[in-house]
Amino acid sequence: MTTRSGRKTSGSLAVKELSKETWNDFEAVMGTNGGARGCWCMHWRLSTSEWMEGKGDGNKKTMKRLSQRDPAPGVVVYRDDEPVAWCSLGSRDQFPRLERSPLLSELDDKPVCSIACIYVQKEHRGDGLLSDILDAVCKHAASQGYKIAEGYPIEPGKGKRAGADTAMTGIASAFLDAGFSEVARPRGDRPIMRRELRAKK
């Protein structure tokens, strides 16, 4: 498979929902810091004060509780059975902080699968996996009945790199490579992007 930009993809990836069985793999991807600054991917699920209070072990415990519920809070992404990334996804109402965001406010009443966070394990950054991860995640979302995937990536200025805190939502060029289109741009560096999904027949 070749992306729109002509880059060859890195091959087939598999996704598994976060659960008791995949928790250790999730931990392996997130590392000892739990992603960026002890987040454990609770940024969009908690208020700022709740997030700060739980920073580190508290956020980790909250995510572990969510991992035992239905729907799962996201998926672990594997390459050759090795966990390489994490993606937090689900309906927008699963992310209260996203719902309250004046920057990333709801565009319309269409139900979407929000791709709220993408975290690639440190050892695999630079492998060109991000667009492949998005493609695999979209296929999973389609299998769960979603018709539209929505992302909130950052688009760094020319010659600039996104920091860990802003890159957590993904990079716009990777979304384009994965078949997303820009539908809004509430700020110069912050497009909102969507991809229509089709379930496998």
PDB file of all heavy atoms in Angstrom, residues 79-95:
ATOM      1  N   ARG A  79       2.398  -4.424  15.997  1.00  0.00           N
ATOM      2  CA  ARG A  79       3.088  -4.770  14.760  1.00  0.00           C
ATOM      3  C   ARG A  79       3.871  -6.054  15.030  1.00  0.00           C
ATOM      4  O   ARG A  79       4.716  -6.080  15.922  1.00  0.00           O
ATOM      5  CB  ARG A  79       4.037  -3.656  14.307  1.00  0.00           C
ATOM      6  CG  ARG A  79       4.774  -3.985  13.015  1.00  0.00           C
ATOM      7  CD  ARG A  79       5.518  -2.798  12.446  1.00  0.00           C
ATOM      8  NE  ARG A  79       6.585  -2.340  13.325  1.00  0.00           N
ATOM      9  CZ  ARG A  79       7.448  -1.386  13.010  1.00  0.00           C
ATOM     10  NH1 ARG A  79       7.347  -0.758  11.847  1.00  0.00           N
ATOM     11  NH2 ARG A  79       8.383  -1.025  13.850  1.00  0.00           N
ATOM     12  N   ASP A  80       3.543  -7.092  14.286  1.00  0.00           N
ATOM     13  CA  ASP A  80       4.192  -8.393  14.503  1.00  0.00           C
ATOM     14  C   ASP A  80       4.082  -8.822  15.963  1.00  0.00           C
ATOM     15  O   ASP A  80       5.059  -9.260  16.587  1.00  0.00           O
ATOM     16  CB  ASP A  80       5.663  -8.345  14.088  1.00  0.00           C
ATOM     17  CG  ASP A  80       5.834  -8.026  12.609  1.00  0.00           C
ATOM     18  OD1 ASP A  80       4.959  -8.433  11.814  1.00  0.00           O
ATOM     19  OD2 ASP A  80       6.815  -7.358  12.262  1.00  0.00           O
ATOM     20  N   ASP A  81       2.881  -8.671  16.518  1.00  0.00           N
ATOM     21  CA  ASP A  81       2.568  -9.062  17.897  1.00  0.00           C
ATOM     22  C   ASP A  81       3.257  -8.213  18.963  1.00  0.00           C
ATOM     23  O   ASP A  81       3.135  -8.491  20.153  1.00  0.00           O
ATOM     24  CB  ASP A  81       2.904 -10.547  18.148  1.00  0.00           C
ATOM     25  CG  ASP A  81       2.069 -11.481  17.299  1.00  0.00           C
ATOM     26  OD1 ASP A  81       0.881 -11.157  17.073  1.00  0.00           O
ATOM     27  OD2 ASP A  81       2.589 -12.516  16.849  1.00  0.00           O
ATOM     28  N   GLU A  82       3.971  -7.188  18.559  1.00  0.00           N
ATOM     29  CA  GLU A  82       4.620  -6.296  19.521  1.00  0.00           C
ATOM     30  C   GLU A  82       3.789  -5.033  19.682  1.00  0.00           C
ATOM     31  O   GLU A  82       3.446  -4.385  18.691  1.00  0.00           O
ATOM     32  CB  GLU A  82       6.023  -5.918  19.044  1.00  0.00           C
ATOM     33  CG  GLU A  82       6.744  -4.967  19.990  1.00  0.00           C
ATOM     34  CD  GLU A  82       8.072  -4.465  19.447  1.00  0.00           C
ATOM     35  OE1 GLU A  82       8.433  -4.855  18.312  1.00  0.00           O
ATOM     36  OE2 GLU A  82       8.728  -3.673  20.148  1.00  0.00           O
ATOM     37  N   PRO A  83       3.436  -4.653  20.923  1.00  0.00           N
ATOM     38  CA  PRO A  83       2.667  -3.421  21.113  1.00  0.00           C
ATOM     39  C   PRO A  83       3.515  -2.200  20.776  1.00  0.00           C
ATOM     40  O   PRO A  83       4.620  -2.037  21.315  1.00  0.00           O
ATOM     41  CB  PRO A  83       2.294  -3.454  22.596  1.00  0.00           C
ATOM     42  CG  PRO A  83       3.336  -4.324  23.243  1.00  0.00           C
ATOM     43  CD  PRO A  83       3.723  -5.327  22.208  1.00  0.00           C
ATOM     44  N   VAL A  84       3.013  -1.362  19.869  1.00  0.00           N
ATOM     45  CA  VAL A  84       3.795  -0.212  19.420  1.00  0.00           C
ATOM     46  C   VAL A  84       3.087   1.126  19.646  1.00  0.00           C
ATOM     47  O   VAL A  84       3.723   2.181  19.573  1.00  0.00           O
ATOM     48  CB  VAL A  84       4.173  -0.334  17.926  1.00  0.00           C
ATOM     49  CG1 VAL A  84       5.093  -1.524  17.699  1.00  0.00           C
ATOM     50  CG2 VAL A  84       2.926  -0.429  17.039  1.00  0.00           C
ATOM     51  N   ALA A  85       1.787   1.094  19.908  1.00  0.00           N
ATOM     52  CA  ALA A  85       1.064   2.361  20.052  1.00  0.00           C
ATOM     53  C   ALA A  85      -0.238   2.157  20.816  1.00  0.00           C
ATOM     54  O   ALA A  85      -0.727   1.039  20.985  1.00  0.00           O
ATOM     55  CB  ALA A  85       0.775   2.975  18.678  1.00  0.00           C
ATOM     56  N   TRP A  86      -0.784   3.262  21.246  1.00  0.00           N
ATOM     57  CA  TRP A  86      -2.069   3.322  21.932  1.00  0.00           C
ATOM     58  C   TRP A  86      -2.914   4.393  21.262  1.00  0.00           C
ATOM     59  O   TRP A  86      -2.403   5.439  20.853  1.00  0.00           O
ATOM     60  CB  TRP A  86      -1.864   3.654  23.403  1.00  0.00           C
ATOM     61  CG  TRP A  86      -3.036   4.339  24.065  1.00  0.00           C
ATOM     62  CD1 TRP A  86      -3.154   5.667  24.378  1.00  0.00           C
ATOM     63  CD2 TRP A  86      -4.253   3.725  24.493  1.00  0.00           C
ATOM     64  NE1 TRP A  86      -4.369   5.919  24.971  1.00  0.00           N
ATOM     65  CE2 TRP A  86      -5.059   4.736  25.052  1.00  0.00           C
ATOM     66  CE3 TRP A  86      -4.739   2.418  24.446  1.00  0.00           C
ATOM     67  CZ2 TRP A  86      -6.326   4.486  25.561  1.00  0.00           C
ATOM     68  CZ3 TRP A  86      -6.009   2.169  24.959  1.00  0.00           C
ATOM     69  CH2 TRP A  86      -6.779   3.187  25.510  1.00  0.00           C
ATOM     70  N   CYS A  87      -4.204   4.141  21.147  1.00  0.00           N
ATOM     71  CA  CYS A  87      -5.126   5.144  20.622  1.00  0.00           C
ATOM     72  C   CYS A  87      -6.375   5.188  21.492  1.00  0.00           C
ATOM     73  O   CYS A  87      -7.028   4.164  21.701  1.00  0.00           O
ATOM     74  CB  CYS A  87      -5.496   4.830  19.177  1.00  0.00           C
ATOM     75  SG  CYS A  87      -6.586   6.073  18.451  1.00  0.00           S
ATOM     76  N   SER A  88      -6.678   6.361  21.992  1.00  0.00           N
ATOM     77  CA  SER A  88      -7.905   6.586  22.763  1.00  0.00           C
ATOM     78  C   SER A  88      -8.997   7.015  21.800  1.00  0.00           C
ATOM     79  O   SER A  88      -8.829   7.979  21.043  1.00  0.00           O
ATOM     80  CB  SER A  88      -7.650   7.680  23.806  1.00  0.00           C
ATOM     81  OG  SER A  88      -8.806   7.930  24.564  1.00  0.00           O
ATOM     82  N   LEU A  89     -10.090   6.287  21.789  1.00  0.00           N
ATOM     83  CA  LEU A  89     -11.161   6.617  20.843  1.00  0.00           C
ATOM     84  C   LEU A  89     -12.517   6.216  21.403  1.00  0.00           C
ATOM     85  O   LEU A  89     -12.617   5.387  22.300  1.00  0.00           O
ATOM     86  CB  LEU A  89     -10.928   5.925  19.501  1.00  0.00           C
ATOM     87  CG  LEU A  89     -11.216   4.427  19.377  1.00  0.00           C
ATOM     88  CD1 LEU A  89     -11.386   4.036  17.924  1.00  0.00           C
ATOM     89  CD2 LEU A  89     -10.089   3.590  19.984  1.00  0.00           C
ATOM     90  N   GLY A  90     -13.548   6.833  20.839  1.00  0.00           N
ATOM     91  CA  GLY A  90     -14.917   6.538  21.245  1.00  0.00           C
ATOM     92  C   GLY A  90     -15.818   7.697  20.867  1.00  0.00           C
ATOM     93  O   GLY A  90     -15.387   8.674  20.245  1.00  0.00           O
ATOM     94  N   SER A  91     -17.066   7.616  21.237  1.00  0.00           N
ATOM     95  CA  SER A  91     -18.003   8.702  20.953  1.00  0.00           C
ATOM     96  C   SER A  91     -17.566   9.956  21.722  1.00  0.00           C
ATOM     97  O   SER A  91     -16.941   9.864  22.790  1.00  0.00           O
ATOM     98  CB  SER A  91     -19.421   8.303  21.346  1.00  0.00           C
ATOM     99  OG  SER A  91     -19.477   7.982  22.726  1.00  0.00           O
ATOM    100  N   ARG A  92     -17.874  11.125  21.176  1.00  0.00           N
ATOM    101  CA  ARG A  92     -17.412  12.380  21.792  1.00  0.00           C
ATOM    102  C   ARG A  92     -17.822  12.509  23.254  1.00  0.00           C
ATOM    103  O   ARG A  92     -17.100  13.090  24.066  1.00  0.00           O
ATOM    104  CB  ARG A  92     -17.954  13.582  21.008  1.00  0.00           C
ATOM    105  CG  ARG A  92     -17.095  14.013  19.838  1.00  0.00           C
ATOM    106  CD  ARG A  92     -17.640  15.307  19.243  1.00  0.00           C
ATOM    107  NE  ARG A  92     -17.541  16.406  20.177  1.00  0.00           N
ATOM    108  CZ  ARG A  92     -16.604  17.369  20.115  1.00  0.00           C
ATOM    109  NH1 ARG A  92     -15.694  17.343  19.163  1.00  0.00           N
ATOM    110  NH2 ARG A  92     -16.603  18.344  20.988  1.00  0.00           N
ATOM    111  N   ASP A  93     -18.984  11.963  23.597  1.00  0.00           N
ATOM    112  CA  ASP A  93     -19.453  12.133  24.976  1.00  0.00           C
ATOM    113  C   ASP A  93     -18.622  11.350  25.994  1.00  0.00           C
ATOM    114  O   ASP A  93     -18.809  11.514  27.201  1.00  0.00           O
ATOM    115  CB  ASP A  93     -20.936  11.791  25.106  1.00  0.00           C
ATOM    116  CG  ASP A  93     -21.275  10.369  24.690  1.00  0.00           C
ATOM    117  OD1 ASP A  93     -20.362   9.545  24.514  1.00  0.00           O
ATOM    118  OD2 ASP A  93     -22.479  10.081  24.530  1.00  0.00           O
ATOM    119  N   GLN A  94     -17.720  10.514  25.524  1.00  0.00           N
ATOM    120  CA  GLN A  94     -16.801   9.837  26.437  1.00  0.00           C
ATOM    121  C   GLN A  94     -15.643  10.746  26.857  1.00  0.00           C
ATOM    122  O   GLN A  94     -14.843  10.377  27.717  1.00  0.00           O
ATOM    123  CB  GLN A  94     -16.240   8.571  25.779  1.00  0.00           C
ATOM    124  CG  GLN A  94     -17.279   7.482  25.570  1.00  0.00           C
ATOM    125  CD  GLN A  94     -16.663   6.240  24.959  1.00  0.00           C
ATOM    126  OE1 GLN A  94     -15.570   5.818  25.302  1.00  0.00           O
ATOM    127  NE2 GLN A  94     -17.387   5.636  24.025  1.00  0.00           N
ATOM    128  N   PHE A  95     -15.560  11.927  26.227  1.00  0.00           N
ATOM    129  CA  PHE A  95     -14.460  12.844  26.494  1.00  0.00           C
ATOM    130  C   PHE A  95     -15.008  14.211  26.920  1.00  0.00           C
ATOM    131  O   PHE A  95     -15.091  15.139  26.121  1.00  0.00           O
ATOM    132  CB  PHE A  95     -13.596  12.997  25.236  1.00  0.00           C
ATOM    133  CG  PHE A  95     -13.098  11.684  24.689  1.00  0.00           C
ATOM    134  CD1 PHE A  95     -13.703  11.096  23.586  1.00  0.00           C
ATOM    135  CD2 PHE A  95     -12.037  11.020  25.298  1.00  0.00           C
ATOM    136  CE1 PHE A  95     -13.252   9.894  23.081  1.00  0.00           C
ATOM    137  CE2 PHE A  95     -11.582   9.814  24.799  1.00  0.00           C
ATOM    138  CZ  PHE A  95     -12.189   9.233  23.699  1.00  0.00           C
TER     139      PHE A  95
END
